[in-house]
Amino acid sequence: MESPDLAKKAAARIGRNTLGDLLSRSARRDPHKVAVIYRSTTLDYAAWNQRVDGMAHGLRAIGLRARDHVAVVSRNSLSFATLVFAVARLGAVLVPLNWALAEGELHDLLVRGDAVAVAAQAEFVDLVDAAAAGTHAVQLKLTMDGDGDPGTDLSSWRSLADLTTEDGEALEAEVTDDDVAQILFTSGTEARPKGVMLTHRAVIDESVSIMLAADFKSVDVVLHALPFYHSAQLNAFLIPFTYLGATSVILDRPTPDAILDHVRRYGVTEFFGPPTVWIALLRSPRFDPGQLTSLTKAVTGAAVTPLEILAELQRRLPWMGVYNLYGLTEVGPFALGLPPEQQAVRPGSVGRPGINVEVAILREDGAMAHPDQEGEIVLRCSHATRGYYRDPEHTNALFEGGWLHTGDVGIMDAEGYVTVVDRKKDVIKSGGVNISSREVEDVLYRHAGVEECAVIGVPHPYWIEAVVAVVKARSGANPTDEDLIQFCRSRLASFKVPKAIVFREDLPKNPSGKILKRQLRAEIEPFVEAPGDAPN
């Protein structure tokens, strides 16, 4: 007779549902279906699953164990996607890091993330060597695919490809649904990056939420162009589409030409991009709707999408359904979604909560807001973070009052549709009145001469903060500051009109496409002295 302990262990294994299990199940369902395409390599689900097992065995052979933290510094690649599932199958914790960070910033995250191992593409080996110097936790350094400097010293590195075995034997590890699977550092657009802990269960529940909200299908061909180190491309697209058994096309750099070429070449049906990427595509001289007929689903998110850009997408690609999604890393990241049939009815809304999500609006006094009353968007969901890694102070603030605080200001109508007004930190407080930077940006995007813009508040001796617009003009257009101010004046209340316009050739962005307003404030303030005049 089997002992109770053995039966309990067997039951736990039978009922287990971790990230490491998702790919193997897709491989069993449809082994010969194309799973992933990267450059000249195409793998079906059976072959990719075997490669994941081989990589997991290789990682175990060099001493990595369950719950070890494995950092990754890499552009999108097949090796990166494979490592995501190999680390999960081993029961280790994935810590993907932004390859655009400076040496000191990367060092800080390697230390704070307790990385035991780090895998890096060849072009980032020197950066990682410098960043890892002086860190006692990093014991293993693994090279991934990619083009690097032929003179790079690799004497302290091991090749991930060489470690990957070919035996194909399934790897078993002691891992549960409630173990931490990932530590994802926030982008740091507003403050020092914080390490968001997500369990296997959280990422899988988030996958279910977004699959239903955005109508993901196993027949889809999805293009992954935004960085895998970001929660959106990793957890809202790569993992859910692998879970479904769809086909993933991986692109290492999200340039407009490469995106358009890949959509046409591989018959891509679905593509995710933040507003800045969609703007770049629409402005590309190679943007030809006739070459994009396979693209039936567009997802926009990661930042609030200007209404004018949404309207232009629908006008130029009328067969394409646009899904406007909202979320944050702390919930996996998906939380709310607006489907295509609601875009015209509720322009600018980010929709209603996903199936595993509850949303509310809290006033500043902590009370629930009434319909159409402004307040902070707060969430409860089964895919919320366990907290910030080794950061109890910020974790307590995040969970204050039994809700997860997003830091976004929004309103919710009587039917439960949410509209984001602004980031709390981006609301401009001028002359005692709160001004939504997004509202001013939406107006500026309607001007034919504006390609991109960001509206910020800068210190002012009378108004406390003054509205300033930083603008990138469209190619061939030469709007003046007075042109844009007059354009806004005819469409906005006088107190919302920018007091100054600053033109830039480009706006600073992080690699996931978010405009860095914090950097703009630091750069613009010295050049804008007391914009606008106080009333006489």
Side-chain angles (χ1 to χ4, degrees):
M1 182 176 179
E2 192 174 69
S3 72
D5 286 343
L6 287 175
K8 185 177 179 180
K9 186 175 181 180
R13 175 61 187 90
I14 292 166
R16 191 183 73 184
N17 191 32
T18 69
L19 297 181
D21 298 317
L22 300 187
L23 175 58
S24 61
R25 290 174 181 156
S26 292
R28 286 178 181 274
R29 285 195 311 271
D30 209 344
H32 303 301
K33 182 177 179 181
V34 173
V36 62
I37 300 168
Y38 175 66
R39 295 184 175 177
S40 60
T41 301
T42 298
L43 295 179
D44 64 21
Y45 269 97
W48 192 25
N49 185 58
Q50 183 175 352
R51 185 172 295 193
V52 166
D53 270 328
M55 187 177 287
H57 277 290
L59 294 174
R60 176 181 276 179
I62 59 171
L64 284 176
R65 293 295 181 264
R67 297 171 188 81
D68 283 342
H69 293 190
V70 181
V72 188
V73 182
S74 173
R75 299 183 191 275
N76 291 1
S77 69
L78 177 56
S79 288
F80 195 155
T82 303
L83 188 63
V84 167
F85 291 99
V87 167
R89 200 161 285 181
L90 184 64
V93 179
L94 186 75
V95 188
L97 300 176
N98 183 345
W99 45 259
L101 293 175
E103 174 190 322
E105 295 171 311
L106 190 59
H107 173 88
D108 178 57
L109 298 191
L110 288 171
V111 172
R112 290 170 54 211
D114 286 331
V116 172
V118 57
Q121 272 186 316
E123 65 177 298
F124 303 119
V125 162
D126 288 338
L127 169 66
V128 172
D129 269 333
T135 62
H136 301 294
V138 176
Q139 301 168 17
L140 297 167
K141 294 184 290 186
L142 308 169
T143 56
M144 301 168 68
D145 50 13
D147 301 321
D149 186 342
T152 299
D153 180 11
L154 296 176
S155 58
S156 62
W157 291 75
R158 304 183 71 164
S159 167
L160 189 59
D162 291 345
L163 294 173
T164 302
T165 67
E166 298 293 335
D167 58 22
E169 181 183 345
L171 183 140
E172 283 292 332
E174 295 293 328
V175 56
T176 73
D177 304 12
D178 293 316
D179 285 340
V180 173
Q182 302 170 348
I183 296 175
L184 305 180
F185 281 94
T186 57
S187 60
T189 54
E190 298 170 348
R192 189 186 190 199
K194 297 181 284 292
V196 175
M197 295 185 289
L198 295 172
T199 65
H200 292 266
R201 187 189 305 276
V203 177
I204 291 172
D205 279 2
E206 186 267 352
S207 294
V208 172
S209 288
I210 194 170
M211 286 190 294
L212 293 174
D215 195 31
F216 289 3
K217 302 291 186 185
S218 62
V219 294
D220 278 326
V221 178
V222 61
L223 176 61
H224 304 285
L226 276 293
F228 283 151
Y229 69 71
H230 191 280
S231 63
Q233 197 68 67
L234 178 64
N235 290 343
F237 294 92
L238 177 66
I239 288 172
F241 277 108
T242 303
Y243 191 0
L244 279 171
T247 297
S248 287
V249 180
I250 298 173
L251 183 59
D252 55 5
R253 289 173 173 81
T255 63
D257 285 358
I259 291 169
L260 295 170
D261 283 346
H262 277 62
V263 171
R264 175 185 52 80
R265 183 182 310 167
Y266 298 110
V268 169
T269 63
E270 177 145 354
F271 175 66
F272 158 73
T276 51
V277 170
W278 287 109
I279 291 168
L281 293 176
L282 290 167
R283 303 292 167 261
S284 169
R286 296 185 60 186
F287 185 88
D288 177 3
Q291 297 289 317
L292 305 175
T293 54
S294 67
L295 195 58
T296 56
K297 289 183 280 189
V299 178
T300 181
V304 176
T305 306
L307 293 175
E308 187 62 26
I309 300 305
L310 283 172
E312 186 176 352
L313 274 173
Q314 292 165 328
R315 186 173 63 252
R316 298 183 69 181
L317 300 173
W319 60 84
M320 184 177 71
V322 178
Y323 293 81
N324 198 16
L325 305 186
Y326 166 85
L328 62 162
T329 304
E330 286 83 347
V331 295
F334 171 75
L336 309 168
L338 188 75
E341 63 271 17
Q342 291 290 330
Q343 296 290 341
V345 182
R346 305 174 191 277
S349 172
V350 292
R352 293 198 284 193
I355 195 167
N356 293 313
V357 183
E358 180 183 354
V359 63
I361 307 293
L362 289 188
R363 302 188 321 219
E364 286 193 8
D365 62 5
M368 290 286 181
H370 299 298
D372 299 318
Q373 188 177 27
E374 197 172 281
E376 183 182 5
I377 301 170
V378 294
L379 303 167
R380 287 173 175 160
C381 63
S382 63
H383 38 91
T385 176
R386 181 173 287 181
Y388 297 122
Y389 185 64
R390 293 192 173 179
D391 192 345
E393 180 182 351
H394 284 107
T395 297
N396 290 338
L398 179 71
F399 296 150
E400 184 181 355
W403 290 91
L404 188 148
H405 291 256
T406 67
D408 289 324
V409 178
I411 58 174
M412 182 163 58
D413 67 19
E415 295 182 79
Y417 287 87
V418 174
T419 298
V420 178
V421 175
D422 216 337
R423 290 289 299 170
K424 286 180 74 172
K425 294 181 180 180
D426 288 341
V427 172
I428 301 165
K429 298 180 179 180
S430 183
V433 179
N434 288 351
I435 300 169
S436 164
S437 62
R438 181 198 175 186
E439 182 182 3
V440 183
E441 289 163 359
D442 275 341
V443 168
L444 285 166
Y445 272 111
R446 286 153 57 186
H447 191 283
V450 173
E451 179 164 327
E452 288 184 329
C453 68
V455 172
I456 58 175
V458 301
H460 188 280
Y462 179 84
W463 298 109
I464 309 304
E465 282 190 312
V467 181
V468 172
V470 187
V471 172
K472 175 184 178 180
R474 282 196 190 187
S475 177
N478 295 291
T480 66
D481 53 356
E482 188 57 31
D483 290 338
L484 297 181
I485 288 172
Q486 288 297 334
F487 185 82
C488 290
R489 189 168 286 142
S490 65
R491 293 163 173 81
L492 291 168
S494 60
F495 65 89
K496 300 177 183 178
V497 174
K499 300 292 192 292
I501 306 288
V502 177
F503 289 98
R504 286 288 200 84
E505 290 188 5
D506 282 297
L507 302 188
K509 305 180 189 74
N510 66 15
S512 58
K514 289 184 180 178
I515 294 174
L516 299 174
K517 288 191 175 183
R518 183 177 64 169
Q519 182 175 330
L520 283 176
R521 292 186 192 101
E523 294 174 354
I524 297 300
E525 284 175 16
F527 299 99
V528 181
E529 297 182 1
D533 297 320
N536 295 323

